[in-house]
Amino acid sequence: MDETKEIPTPSADRRDDAVPSAPRENEIVSKEEESDAEDAGNEKAPERPSRLSRLRFSKKKDMPGGLWLKCESCGQVIYRKELEEKGRVCPACDFHFTLPGSDRIRATLDEGTWREEYADLTPLDRLEFSEKVSYAEKIQNTLKRTGQNEAYLCGRGKILGRPVVLGVLDFSFMGGSMGEVVGEKFALAVELAERESLPMISFTSSGGARMHEGVISLMQMAKTCAALDRFNAAGGFSVSVMTHPTTGGVTASFASVCDITLAEPGALIGFAGPRVIATTIKQELPPGFQRAEFMLEKGMIDAIVRRTDLRDTLAKLVDYAGGD
Amino acid sequence: MSESPKSNEVGVGGMAFERPIEEIEAKISELESLSQSTKLDISSEIDALNKRLREQIEATYARLGAWDRVNVARNSKRPVASEYIATILDDFFELHGDRAFGDDRAIVTGLATVEGRRFMLVAHRKGRTTKERLDCNFGCAHPEGYRKALRKMRLAEKMGLPIVSFVNTPGAYPGIGAEERGQAMAIAENILAMFALRVPILVIVIGEGGSGGALGIGVGDRVLMMEYAYYSVISPEGCAAILWKDGERSPDAAEALKLTANDLLRLGVVDGIIPEPLGGAHRAPDDAMRQVKAAILSALDELALVPPDELVAARYRKYRTMAAIDGRFPAPPSAGRADDR
């Protein structure tokens, strides 16, 4: 049954000229992680998933400056400005759209408190991985497009006055995929938190491991857990917030083993991407499969928190972690 | 060749690059049966063919590409966990179940002895016959398999036994039940927990090292790989499907992913390579298993000398610095304090 390892069906059309900050299908992913996360919004029209996802990510629709866009989850056509005003939460179904990393930091920390660390680390093409364009070239293009050196942003900041270390895995940079530098920055962030006795607050949106870095990506699952293990032994406190989508090697490592795991409503959370599963088992997936609500019901996360309540919740959890 | 009556017993597995080898093998067996039935002495012809066979195998295996190696690793005659257990272990007492959901047969765990060394065996199980393969889901574990492994590894720690892990999986199973029961969470818990275990962990990739499903029992003080095993973040088929939307390009993907034993040794992800008999483990399973046994003995003896604190600290350092080979990253600030944990 070698089929289990086949991951056919990459359906979303992928473009190399990405649209700034639009969550797009991710090129990365590993095997199980094949996170066509976006595809998951699809329960409504299982008959044509690939076509749907193509629509959803068509340039016209998601072009910045376009006035309207369609909700990934309920299909409602939303006025872009209204969506932005609501913090990228669908006014019709409350689906929480993926937030670009910089927006996430802004939405989480007190104004003016963000001090980024390790921002200079940039991805390495150790395998000299080549497809249509080389990975090295892809890195350069993504750097230019996003103005960021990697998918992981980390540093110090304050949440309602409480100092924390914040790390954000940003889907808009190569699908938030975890390569060597993402793993390294997470580990460095955890170590910073340990040194300064601060809580570690981790946000994720990711398709999983970064294929272009091969087994080195895979080893980041071990590296991030190694750092967390030491942090735990030193009495550190960590909170993971899984946002849409968090899949593959990221879910199967640091995102799932923080002290408290939260999720935003509707977030896709899983190991294998829904398309991989549907292909493997050759049947339709149940409605709501792998959504935050589903994972809560199955006992896999501690709580679902709406975006507007996250700051209060994180501050409260940090207070509890201080003991009585 | 496929028409040969002997084709089921030689070569095998539909590996195109082995066809010249299989042809010679078929010819040899033809001559052998001829000499038996006719009592003619054609041993010199047979000897000549055997020599040619050896040269052909040497030549073929000297230039195996990454994709060929993936196929050798998946070869249906390659030794699997149950054969290692039957062949190299002096004693094995299987311990079933995760005491929560079920007994995942894709991972076998139990108390094992080899030449006086006792340890906990944790191994992906692929099975040999079709029934066995189905039974253990072709080596694709569910969360309960990883939780079973974790329970037994913790038991090993309590009993003061080292852990030997055999990795051989296409990947953790991608299914509804697996997701419902937290496949990602189970693997993550295992990886985290393996950093804290105060007994030696030896990992040997004996066939397929399929991504997170492999790493879920794959964090070790020593990680060894058999010569024709592979270890990858994604299957070549999956990679080809994503990059080129074309499964036919799996060979290209296999090359690009750098998934062979030599690649992994060079990248510092594995610590050593266990040589296989000429022409791969499927050609001489007993020899291959003997090599693995020797590797287990020497690694266990070596690790037995390391005090637990040092073991745990070194394991942390190994993975914390694994990819930072050129010193490009800032040194981990806490690395120096690894021992005072």
Side-chain angles (χ1 to χ4, degrees):
Chain A
M1 191 188 75
D2 283 355
E3 307 86 272
T4 46
K5 53 185 162 256
E6 248 87 303
I7 298 114
T9 72
S11 63
D13 57 338
R14 78 240 305 283
R15 310 164 312 266
D16 289 323
D17 51 339
V19 173
S21 82
R24 47 191 297 257
E25 116 279 350
N26 85 50
E27 356 4 34
I28 340 305
V29 271
S30 91
K31 173 174 186 158
E32 297 88 25
E33 25 234 54
E34 227 272 44
S35 99
D36 34 2
E38 319 71 41
D39 241 10
N42 261 325
E43 300 109 35
K44 299 181 61 237
E47 54 324 328
R48 300 292 298 275
S50 60
R51 171 149 172 70
L52 234 203
S53 61
R54 203 170 302 136
L55 279 179
R56 209 178 309 121
F57 284 92
S58 75
K59 266 189 182 170
K60 274 181 220 109
K61 190 208 74 205
D62 225 32
M63 189 89 111
L67 286 179
W68 301 88
L69 80 174
K70 207 169 177 181
C71 174
E72 286 178 39
S73 185
C74 69
Q76 175 83 27
V77 176
I78 319 165
Y79 187 40
R80 181 177 289 276
K81 213 169 151 199
E82 188 188 359
L83 183 72
E84 298 300 340
E85 273 164 10
K86 295 221 180 312
R88 291 182 71 85
V89 174
C90 174
C93 74
D94 204 40
F95 175 74
H96 285 48
F97 281 68
T98 308
L99 269 193
S102 50
D103 293 4
R104 174 64 70 185
I105 291 163
R106 212 170 304 126
T108 306
L109 295 180
D110 303 343
E111 210 181 329
T113 63
W114 172 240
R115 298 287 174 272
E116 189 173 0
E117 295 286 349
Y118 314 114
D120 56 327
L121 295 180
T122 54
L124 288 176
D125 183 15
R126 275 198 210 290
L127 306 189
E128 295 173 353
F129 195 99
S130 193
E131 35 165 333
K132 269 165 287 181
V133 292
S134 72
Y135 175 46
E137 211 174 308
K138 195 168 218 153
I139 294 169
Q140 285 313 312
N141 296 341
T142 313
L143 253 58
K144 254 180 256 160
R145 177 174 63 78
T146 60
Q148 264 168 235
N149 285 334
E150 244 300 1
Y152 201 75
L153 305 170
C154 58
R156 297 182 189 78
K158 287 183 177 170
I159 301 176
L160 300 177
R162 286 109 178 134
V164 299
V165 172
L166 176 70
V168 177
L169 187 46
D170 184 353
F171 197 81
S172 55
F173 191 106
M174 296 191 76
S177 57
M178 174 161 67
E180 185 178 7
V181 172
V182 169
E184 180 68 22
K185 287 179 83 170
F186 176 84
L188 287 169
V190 167
E191 286 157 358
L192 176 66
E194 184 185 333
R195 277 199 308 282
E196 307 200 348
S197 303
L198 296 174
M200 173 73 202
I201 311 294
S202 157
F203 280 85
T204 50
S205 53
S206 170
R210 188 172 297 170
M211 199 165 62
H212 309 76
E213 295 186 27
V215 75
I216 295 176
S217 297
L218 187 66
M219 291 303 132
Q220 303 313 308
M221 294 168 66
K223 188 203 275 180
T224 54
C225 287
L228 267 181
D229 178 57
R230 284 184 60 84
F231 186 55
N232 289 340
F237 175 66
S238 58
V239 181
S240 168
V241 187
M242 295 191 250
T243 74
H244 182 70
T246 296
T247 60
V250 170
T251 320
S253 64
F254 69 90
S256 290
V257 289
C258 288
D259 293 322
I260 292 178
T261 56
L262 308 177
E264 287 192 334
L268 182 90
I269 298 167
F271 181 58
R275 217 165 39 203
V276 178
I277 298 172
T279 309
T280 305
I281 62 173
K282 300 183 178 65
Q283 66 190 62
E284 271 178 36
L285 301 173
F289 182 62
Q290 292 184 314
R291 295 307 181 136
E293 296 72 16
F294 173 94
M295 294 312 263
L296 184 76
E297 190 196 308
K298 298 296 174 190
M300 292 303 149
I301 53 175
D302 288 315
I304 295 174
V305 181
R306 305 191 68 249
R307 194 166 282 172
T308 46
D309 299 332
L310 263 174
R311 273 163 56 82
D312 287 341
T313 303
L314 290 172
K316 187 209 297 270
L317 293 177
V318 167
D319 289 347
Y320 271 110
D324 55 9
Chain B
M1 297 294 310
S2 57
E3 312 84 64
S4 151
K6 280 283 190 180
S7 66
N8 289 338
E9 292 156 41
V10 295
V12 172
M15 302 194 293
F17 66 88
E18 285 215 334
R19 235 166 254 154
I21 299 173
E22 287 170 19
E23 273 172 40
I24 303 173
E25 281 173 333
K27 237 176 246 165
I28 291 173
S29 68
E30 219 172 274
L31 282 186
E32 275 170 348
S33 60
L34 184 75
S35 95
Q36 276 196 352
S37 60
T38 62
K39 310 283 188 219
L40 283 175
D41 182 14
I42 43 177
S43 58
S44 62
E45 282 89 340
I46 293 176
D47 287 350
L49 273 178
N50 272 323
K51 184 162 172 276
R52 233 180 86 200
L53 175 66
R54 197 183 160 79
E55 286 163 2
Q56 183 64 55
I57 295 174
E58 271 169 10
T60 304
Y61 273 76
R63 49 162 197 268
L64 280 195
W67 176 241
D68 298 332
R69 285 166 182 265
V70 170
N71 283 303
V72 175
R74 292 174 179 169
N75 189 289
S76 59
K77 293 221 159 159
R78 194 177 175 82
V80 293
S82 57
E83 287 151 358
Y84 281 97
I85 290 170
T87 310
I88 65 173
L89 299 187
D90 302 321
D91 182 54
F92 184 63
F93 185 77
E94 184 172 357
L95 300 169
H96 293 268
D98 67 345
R99 293 202 205 167
F101 181 82
D103 183 30
D104 187 348
R105 302 220 171 92
I107 291 183
V108 57
T109 51
L111 300 164
T113 308
V114 173
E115 291 192 10
R117 282 80 158 183
R118 298 196 183 102
F119 56 89
M120 181 69 77
L121 179 74
V122 175
H124 286 117
R125 194 167 159 263
K126 272 188 167 178
R128 169 66 62 215
T129 64
T130 306
K131 189 186 168 299
E132 281 171 4
R133 280 163 203 261
L134 283 167
D135 202 34
C136 53
N137 205 24
F138 304 86
C140 298
H142 280 72
E144 49 273 21
Y146 292 101
R147 292 186 178 120
K148 166 165 90 171
L150 180 56
R151 175 168 276 279
K152 309 315 172 196
M153 291 192 288
R154 290 203 159 124
L155 176 63
E157 181 184 38
K158 176 166 184 280
M159 296 170 79
L161 295 173
I163 295 159
V164 176
S165 170
F166 283 177
V167 169
N168 191 12
T169 179
Y173 190 68
I176 293 178
E179 294 290 328
E180 281 179 348
R181 300 194 291 277
Q183 186 74 287
M185 291 73 193
I187 291 173
E189 288 288 352
N190 276 25
I191 297 171
L192 182 72
M194 289 179 92
F195 280 104
L197 293 172
R198 295 173 58 80
V199 290
I201 308 174
L202 167 64
V203 177
I204 304 180
V205 185
I206 59 168
E208 295 189 81
S211 198
L215 194 60
I217 59 167
V219 174
D221 303 305
R222 293 284 181 285
V223 181
L224 307 177
M225 226 173 134
M226 290 182 76
E227 189 176 355
Y228 300 114
Y230 80 91
Y231 197 173
S232 180
V233 68
I234 181 170
S235 70
E237 290 91 339
C239 178
I242 292 168
L243 287 187
W244 299 296
K245 319 233 180 304
D246 183 1
E248 297 290 299
R249 296 198 61 181
S250 304
D252 296 331
E255 289 292 342
L257 284 166
K258 305 279 194 294
L259 44 64
T260 70
N262 278 328
D263 290 326
L264 268 83
L265 186 66
R266 186 176 51 80
L267 292 167
V269 173
V270 302
D271 304 299
I273 298 175
I274 302 174
E276 292 188 29
L278 179 66
H282 58 289
R283 208 161 248 109
D286 286 345
D287 291 349
M289 290 191 276
R290 247 194 310 276
Q291 293 275 15
V292 170
K293 178 178 171 177
I296 292 174
L297 294 179
S298 78
L300 287 186
D301 289 351
E302 195 189 316
L303 290 170
L305 305 173
V306 187
D309 285 344
E310 222 171 278
L311 207 56
V312 170
R315 194 183 304 146
Y316 162 79
R317 276 196 303 272
K318 172 180 161 77
Y319 284 90
R320 178 64 187 87
T321 58
M322 183 168 275
I325 44 182
D326 56 3
R328 185 174 165 284
F329 295 133
S334 46
R337 293 180 289 141
D339 296 309
D340 54 28
R341 171 173 170 149

